[in-house]
């Protein structure tokens, strides 16, 4: 079964420690129960019980310690395969628990990327003690515009430093003993990364800026004293550490969405399948079946893409940086698809989705935040567009990447190097994946892709359009669908996805491509040539009642009764 079911953890775990982590985490939440889970959510209760559990079981110490920093017999490894399974489970039970882990990943990233051995030793000690970490990057006035940081560090005559300034929207910054903080040198404007302690008297915890179980802090440093032991990076290394850490962390957002949507699907389907209206079971209504089928196909595609992106993260090297395209799509596309899945389910369960005792009411709120963390959809889309020319018109050859579930340590993620040179990154020929399968809706989708490529050559963006973010975002959405479909196809073969389910996935892909083509056609700036190509891209999926009925009976309807969280 591709989708997570806490009753049956069938996912491959390459070692006993990994399986133990997942099983104990599931057991913790199952014992907690939905009633307390929801009460803590509504009461904005700090998740101390969860953090104590992770401390007692050494979970963060195992999950967030790269192998080279681990202890003998500890089974510490930074393994993207293991990370995504853990992130999915946390998202399944509640975004606040995932968030505590996620911002700790971000907080510790610049430390593992540094050459500061003393800071690394301290981080390892804190992990072993059950500590959490924080990532001090964004600011109240500048958001994620780190070019404009107002965190100013001054070096004194004795060689020590003083830091002054504020950070905003920083998770875990109420308790983290190491807050990895980005700033600028007062005299040179050079970037600098250092660690601050949230318990230091010169560290002012201003407030929690959200009403949530999470503590998302505004904090200020007032002549905060620093020594060389607190400095992680200078100059370009500081800049690279900031962006490379986000590369590691933002991948997890898609997994939170997948977890949330999977739990919501179980709950919504059981509600509808056990409700009767007008002498019919709700799941007998044709429009309800369509909504559930669409939600299921989108959720399956989300997971297929995310799993395949993990393979490329693990295969990453200085010679293979394809992950830098797949990663922002994981962050941007999987999370927005998560919103779409929740919308579809909500259209079925309607007012039930507001009820305080339903997991769904929590999911409906939390799913909205994920596209807006670690850079907005717009920021990630602007990054994605940079890869389009090489992806379509300059393919390169790479060895085939297999499923990477062997449990190896992902050392490269903490040695990614300079963040420049994105326009030089090459990709393998997407035709390999698209020509590996033959199905009716895939054929329609391939025709849409070829028309899109023709538009890029026959009616490329005008100079004005090239500066118009609104126009480029729509171009990026269409390009993203091509890459999304490629990785879905690659993983459909690896996971042996049934042909009828794969064709149902491309049913919605055809519709989505048509939607974005219509949006581009309707742009005020679209040219006659672009409009003509857009009309060619607007296509109807191939209707197949037999395929649709089989997807419903063999896949969607079998979700009934599979999982219900204990009260």
């Amino acid at each position: 079964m591709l989708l997570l079911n806490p009753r049956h953890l069938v996912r491959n775990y390459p070692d006993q420690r990994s399986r133990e982590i997942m099983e104990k985490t599931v057991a913790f939440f199952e014992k907690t129960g939905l009633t307390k889970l929801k009460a803590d959510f509504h009461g904005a209760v700090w998740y101390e019980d969860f953090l104590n559990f992770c401390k007692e079981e050494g979970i963060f110490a195992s999950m967030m310690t790269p192998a080279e920093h681990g202890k003998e017999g500890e089974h510490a490894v930074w393994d993207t395969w293991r990370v995504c399974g853990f992130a999915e489970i946390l998202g399944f039970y509640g975004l606040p628990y995932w968030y505590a882990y996620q911002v700790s990943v971000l907080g510790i990233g610049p430390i593992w990327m540094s050459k500061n051995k003393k800071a690394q030793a301290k981080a390892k000690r804190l992990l072993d003690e059950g500590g959490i970490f924080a990532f001090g990057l964004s600011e109240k006035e500048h958001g994620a515009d780190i070019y404009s940081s107002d965190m100013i560090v001054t070096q004194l005559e004795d060689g020590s430093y003083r830091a002054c300034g504020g950070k905003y929207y920083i998770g875990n910054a109420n308790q983290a003993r190491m807050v990895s903080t980005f700033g600028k040198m007062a005299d040179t404007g050079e970037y600098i990364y250092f660690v601050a302690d949230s318990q230091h008297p010169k560290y002012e915890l201003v407030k929690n800026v959200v009403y949530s179980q999470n503590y998302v802090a505004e904090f200020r440093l007032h002549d905060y004293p620093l020594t060389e032991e607190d400095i992680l990076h200078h100059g370009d290394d500081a800049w690279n550490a900031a962006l490379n850490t986000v590369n590691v962390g933002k991948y997890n957002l898609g997994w939170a969405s997948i977890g949330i949507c999977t739990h919501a699907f179980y709950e919504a389907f059981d509600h509808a399948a056990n409700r009767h209206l007008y002498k019919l079971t709700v799941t007998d209504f044709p429009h309800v079946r369509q909504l559930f089928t669409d939600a299921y196909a989108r959720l399956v595609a989300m997971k297929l893409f995310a799993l395949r992106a993990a393979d490329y993260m693990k295969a990453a090297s200085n010679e293979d940086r394809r992950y830098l395209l797949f990663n922002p799509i994981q962050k941007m596309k999987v999370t927005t698809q998560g919103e779409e899945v929740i919308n579809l389910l909500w259209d079925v369960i309607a007012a039930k989705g507001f009820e305080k005792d339903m997991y769904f009411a929590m999911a409906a709120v939390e799913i909205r935040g994920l596209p807006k963390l670690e850079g907005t959809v717009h920021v990630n889309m602007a990054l994605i567009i940079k890869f389009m020319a090489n992806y379509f018109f300059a393919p390169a050859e790479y060895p085939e990447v297999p499923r990477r579930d062997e449990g190896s340590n992902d050392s490269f993620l903490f040695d990614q190097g300079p963040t420049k040179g994105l326009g030089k990154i090459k990709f393998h020929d997407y035709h390999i994946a698209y020509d590996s399968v033959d199905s009716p809706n895939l054929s329609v989708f391939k025709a849409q892709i070829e028309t899109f490529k023709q538009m890029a050559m026959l009616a490329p963006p005008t100079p004005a359009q090239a500066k118009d973010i609104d126009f480029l975002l729509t171009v990026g959405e269409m390009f993203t669908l091509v890459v999304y479909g490629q990785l879905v196809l690659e993983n459909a073969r690896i996971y042996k996805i049934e042909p009828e389910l794969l064709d149902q996935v491309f049913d919605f892909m055809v519709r989505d491509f048509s939607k974005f083509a219509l949006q581009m056609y309707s742009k005020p700036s679209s040219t006659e040539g672009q409009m003509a190509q857009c009309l060619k891209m607007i296509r109807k999926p191939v209707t197949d009642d037999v395929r649709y009925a089989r997807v419903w009976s063999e896949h969607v309807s079998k979700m009934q009764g599979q999982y219900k969280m204990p009260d």
Side-chain angles (χ1 to χ4, degrees), residues 109-294:
I111 300 172
W112 295 142
M113 291 177 188
S114 77
K115 295 180 174 63
N116 186 331
K117 300 300 182 184
K118 290 185 177 180
Q120 291 176 342
K122 181 179 179 182
K124 178 55 180 164
R125 175 174 59 79
L126 290 171
L127 277 175
D128 291 345
E129 293 172 357
I132 55 177
F133 296 77
F135 187 56
L137 189 65
S138 64
E139 299 181 7
K140 188 172 186 178
E141 300 302 326
H142 307 295
D145 176 14
I146 58 178
Y147 290 100
S148 304
S149 178
D150 287 333
M151 176 65 72
I152 303 301
V153 178
T154 303
Q155 187 166 20
L156 306 180
E157 290 183 3
D158 64 359
S160 65
Y161 303 82
R162 292 291 184 272
C164 293
K167 292 292 179 179
Y168 196 79
Y169 221 86
I170 311 302
N172 286 355
N174 58 324
Q175 289 195 6
R177 301 306 301 267
M178 296 183 83
V179 182
S180 298
T181 307
F182 184 85
K184 286 182 179 179
M185 293 300 297
D187 53 348
T188 64
E190 180 184 61
Y191 299 118
I192 186 170
Y193 236 123
F194 61 91
V195 288
D197 182 349
S198 68
Q199 307 307 302
H200 194 282
K202 297 292 186 178
Y203 180 108
E204 179 193 1
L205 189 64
V206 179
K207 63 178 177 179
N208 190 351
V209 301
V210 300
Y211 186 76
S212 167
Q213 287 183 259
N214 303 313
Y215 200 108
V216 185
E218 177 183 3
F219 73 83
R220 298 196 64 81
L221 303 183
H222 302 284
D223 286 325
Y224 187 100
L226 301 167
T227 68
E228 286 296 338
E229 292 186 8
D230 303 309
I231 306 303
L232 300 176
H233 303 276
H234 287 280
D236 289 345
D237 287 343
W239 176 268
N240 292 334
L243 298 186
N244 288 334
T245 296
V246 172
N247 287 340
V248 175
K250 70 183 176 185
Y251 169 78
N252 296 337
L253 279 85
W255 283 105
S257 285
I258 292 167
I260 290 170
C261 290
T262 305
H263 194 157
F265 197 107
Y266 285 126
E267 189 179 63
F269 198 92
D270 278 357
H271 169 71
N274 290 290
R275 184 169 172 79
H276 305 281
L277 296 173
Y278 310 109
K279 299 182 179 179
L280 289 173
T281 302
V282 169
T283 49
D284 288 336
F285 288 103
H287 71 289
V288 169
R289 289 193 173 190
Q290 177 60 52
L291 290 166
F292 273 130
T293 301
D294 211 28

Side-chain angles (χ1 to χ4, degrees), residues 90-105:
L90 295 183
F92 186 94
Y93 288 106
L95 194 64
Y97 309 101
W98 170 89
Y99 186 76
Y101 169 67
Q102 165 69 2
V103 291
S104 288
V105 166

